Amino acid sequence: MMPEQPALPDHRPVRDKDAALVQRMFDRVAPRYDVANTLLSLGLDRHWRAVTVAAVDPRPGSVVLDLAGGTGALAAAVAARGADAVVADLSHEMVRVGMARVPAVRAWTVADALRLPLADASVDAITIAFGLRNLNDT
């Protein structure tokens, strides 16, 4: 008999999405998240990050917040352009893994994207990639 699979969060941005379930799922996959993204997207994740960074056009000294920033792959690309990258993610493990992998990120915080511990107008740009689907209020 196969063990019961853990519940996965609803992929749709529905109002009753369980944030704790999303957090637990990403805590479990954090060590393998970047590899899985690259494999599942057939390498397009790198292109999407490049397109996003080009659209944001971060400048040295600007502050860019990456919501649901996971392990900081997008934030690393922002930081490479000289901006101060800040990552906010709901998963403790994603932040832990990211802090070890991407020292160029200025600040990391475990936070719900809908309840950020930041002052209004404290960043110059905000990015969000795959995490948009995990918010219960887009």
Side-chain angles (χ1 to χ4, degrees):
M1 179 180 229
M2 295 290 291
E4 186 175 320
Q5 293 294 314
L8 294 175
D10 192 329
H11 68 281
R12 299 167 298 160
V14 294
R15 289 221 181 259
D16 61 347
K17 187 171 294 243
D18 184 347
L21 184 61
V22 170
Q23 182 182 40
R24 285 192 306 273
M25 181 190 71
F26 282 101
D27 281 347
R28 280 194 313 268
V29 302
R32 301 171 307 283
Y33 182 77
D34 293 323
V35 171
N37 252 356
T38 299
L39 290 173
L40 293 172
S41 71
L42 302 175
L44 285 174
D45 61 314
R46 293 178 181 127
H47 171 73
W48 296 331
R49 280 193 292 278
V51 168
T52 301
V53 171
V56 172
D57 192 23
R59 305 292 170 104
S62 64
V63 178
V64 179
L65 169 65
D66 188 24
L67 287 178
T71 59
L74 179 55
V78 166
R81 296 272 300 266
D84 289 330
V86 176
V87 172
D89 196 277
L90 187 60
S91 165
H92 294 84
E93 281 301 302
M94 293 290 262
V95 167
R96 187 188 64 74
V97 169
M99 288 175 73
R101 288 187 186 167
V102 188
V105 170
R106 182 181 96 180
W108 295 84
T109 185
V110 175
D112 186 326
L114 302 177
R115 293 175 202 83
L116 293 171
L118 300 171
D120 289 349
S122 63
V123 300
D124 299 300
I126 299 173
T127 60
I128 188 168
F130 304 109
L132 187 62
R133 68 181 178 256
N134 294 315
L135 301 181
N136 64 6
D137 186 1
T138 55

